[in-house]
Amino acid sequence: MNANEIINIENKHTSGTYTKQTLVIVRGQGASLFAADGTEYLDCSSGHGVANLGHAHPKIAEALYKQASTLITLFETFPNDQRATLMEKLTTLTPGLERVFFCNSGTESVEAAIKFTRLSTGRTGIIAAMRGFHGRTMGSLSATWNKTYREPFVPLVPDFSHVPYNNIERLEKAVTDQTAAVIFEPVQGEGGVYLAEPVYLQAARRICNERGALLVLDEVQTGFGRTGKIFAYQHFGITPDLLCCSKSLAGGIPMGAVLIGEKVKNLIPGAHGSTFGGNPLACAAALASVTAMEEEHLPAQAAEKGAYLMEKLKAIQSTKIREVRGLGLMIGIELKQKVAPYLKALQEKHIIALSAGMTVIRLLPPLVISYVQIDQLVGSLEEVLMGDILDE
Ligand SMILES: *Cc1c(COP(=O)(O)O)cnc(C)c1O
């Protein structure tokens, strides 16, 4: 099948819910992706933050092969060596969060967290942030802010409300004795790469404690080294009651997890479940992935490379840039105009990057990206942002 045939078949049979590119990707290696004709692209998207370890990591491939020929599927009622080892490994990374619920995606981890907070508190109110993104199933979508995602599906789940991010006063007013949970991303990804201020997350922790609400952090995108720590909340000197993770948890294999603190009660048999949750194949992939992250010091790599990249980006003298911001290797370049033509121009220079909203270029490269590749990225960004692309 040649590239055009592949494109035509996908365009014919797609559900229609994705804007399809005209670039067929067939292989990956480290921070590189390869097109059907062999052309190499620098991946600065990591599949929206999935491939933190890069593509085709040998340790993940090996773990998958070994576990696939041992045991792929097992319902969580039966204990299993891979799952038990992963539970121990994950909970040692998150002191204070000793229990784990496994699922298969980011939105599922948020759904589980929402259910757990209602079950635990007997309350129904969920407070999320403006610009926040938590997924697209009905519960997570109710916590998501973007009206384009929400409005076609109303009525959503009742008792969700949104407050401005980083505004302590408004949060104080919003959290009441009816509030089950406050849910935030420590760095808002989809919403435009906005960082929580440390005092804000600390205040959120205090306010939840005072009012008997639970604090949920959605680290689906920020987790597993992306921001320079294994989890972003560890920059802020607080611990959430529930921590949602997914994306790069299992090295690219679909998996989600909620890590659960001691304040969360009433999680009894039958309260929640998942057919595929905690299956040995995904657990083996996650175990290999988290182990490789530790062995390769991925959080430290993200911190160092992120600082280097940030400094280079801030030195670009383009009048089109409004602001460069980020944490570790999660970086947003806010332009004064729409980013679509710039992303297209970057792709012509063999760089795949993302948007976050209309005006932010979002960079989420694999954390194994090399300094040579970072320089290539900066060079291409500079050319694209210094050139004269007309805003369409
Ligand atoms: C991607 C993302 C989700 C949703 O994850 P899916 O696996 O696509 O359901 C939820 N929260 C955040 C912060 C995300 O970045």
Side-chain angles (χ1 to χ4, degrees):
M1 222 186 276
N2 69 33
N4 278 330
E5 287 166 336
I6 294 169
I7 292 165
N8 289 339
I9 291 170
E10 288 217 15
N11 283 342
K12 180 171 169 208
H13 294 292
T14 177
S15 62
T17 64
Y18 297 95
T19 311
K20 293 272 179 179
Q21 300 258 2
T22 52
L23 175 63
V24 178
I25 301 289
V26 294
R27 189 168 71 81
Q29 182 66 57
S32 296
L33 289 171
F34 295 88
D37 66 1
T39 310
E40 183 172 352
Y41 286 79
L42 177 56
D43 181 13
C44 293
S45 71
S46 306
H48 289 81
V50 173
N52 286 9
L53 274 164
H55 300 283
H57 195 289
K59 292 272 175 68
I60 292 166
E62 189 193 317
L64 280 172
Y65 177 78
K66 232 173 104 193
Q67 192 59 36
S69 40
T70 305
L71 183 66
I72 292 177
T73 191
L74 182 72
F75 198 61
E76 232 201 86
T77 46
F78 295 97
N80 172 263
D81 56 331
Q82 299 299 316
R83 193 189 308 116
T85 317
L86 178 63
M87 283 172 155
E88 275 202 317
K89 181 121 222 153
L90 284 177
T91 54
T92 54
L93 297 174
T94 58
L97 308 177
E98 296 296 327
R99 291 172 289 166
V100 196
F101 177 83
F102 288 120
C103 51
N104 316 287
S105 66
T107 199
E108 280 179 64
S109 72
V110 173
E111 291 291 335
I114 291 168
K115 287 180 74 176
F116 294 169
T117 63
R118 285 190 167 178
L119 205 56
S120 179
T121 60
R123 304 171 177 182
T124 54
I126 310 284
I127 295 168
M130 293 173 181
R131 287 192 314 244
F133 182 84
H134 301 288
R136 297 165 182 272
T137 53
M138 293 304 267
S140 308
L141 187 61
S142 307
T144 290
W145 169 250
N146 190 327
K147 299 214 165 21
T148 318
Y149 300 153
R150 294 161 54 89
E151 268 173 2
F153 304 103
V154 295
L156 297 174
V157 180
D159 293 350
F160 281 69
S161 56
H162 293 83
V163 292
Y165 199 56
N166 280 333
N167 185 325
I168 297 175
E169 212 175 302
R170 293 286 296 276
L171 188 64
E172 288 270 14
K173 288 208 185 102
V175 182
T176 68
D177 61 4
Q178 300 298 306
T179 306
V182 170
I183 178 166
F184 295 139
E185 299 152 87
V187 181
Q188 293 185 315
E190 271 319 293
V193 190
Y194 291 96
L195 280 68
E197 286 161 17
V199 287
Y200 184 66
L201 280 187
Q202 287 152 10
R205 178 67 280 179
R206 173 184 55 77
I207 293 165
C208 285
N209 289 350
E210 287 171 3
R211 321 263 159 95
L214 296 167
L215 179 62
V216 182
L217 289 182
D218 179 347
E219 294 233 27
V220 169
Q221 193 163 136
T222 52
F224 299 102
R226 170 61 55 194
T227 69
K229 301 256 188 209
I230 193 83
F231 289 105
Y233 78 83
Q234 294 167 355
H235 290 283
F236 300 96
I238 56 147
T239 303
D241 298 305
L242 295 127
L243 178 69
C244 299
C245 12
S246 182
K247 291 208 164 103
S248 87
L249 163 59
I253 294 299
M255 189 180 209
V258 188
L259 285 132
I260 304 163
E262 59 189 20
K263 274 199 208 158
V264 182
K265 299 178 302 195
N266 304 332
L267 302 187
I268 52 165
H272 196 41
S274 164
T275 299
F276 290 123
N279 71 80
L281 186 73
C283 287
L287 203 50
S289 175
V290 176
T291 306
M293 286 173 189
E294 286 178 329
E295 284 170 2
E296 296 173 30
H297 306 287
L298 233 54
Q301 287 203 48
E304 283 160 30
K305 291 171 185 173
Y308 176 84
L309 175 54
M310 190 73 110
E311 193 189 311
K312 296 257 165 176
L313 291 176
K314 285 194 164 158
I316 297 178
Q317 298 294 324
S318 166
T319 54
K320 299 185 182 87
I321 298 176
R322 190 184 301 281
E323 190 184 34
V324 183
R325 54 179 180 259
L327 195 60
L329 276 174
M330 181 167 184
I331 293 179
I333 307 165
E334 184 170 348
L335 303 187
K336 294 173 189 162
Q337 53 249 82
K338 290 183 181 168
V339 296
Y342 297 93
L343 291 177
K344 191 162 165 272
L346 277 174
Q347 200 158 306
E348 280 158 15
K349 295 184 182 297
H350 300 165
I351 296 202
I352 296 173
L354 293 167
S355 62
M358 299 297 264
T359 58
V360 178
I361 297 174
R362 180 171 35 151
L363 303 174
L364 296 173
L367 310 182
V368 297
I369 188 173
S370 70
Y371 282 92
V372 172
Q373 287 171 318
I374 293 177
D375 288 342
Q376 181 199 340
L377 166 64
V378 172
S380 298
L381 270 167
E382 197 159 12
E383 285 171 32
V384 164
L385 291 170
M386 300 303 276
D388 50 355
I389 293 168
L390 294 176
D391 191 8
E392 282 144 30

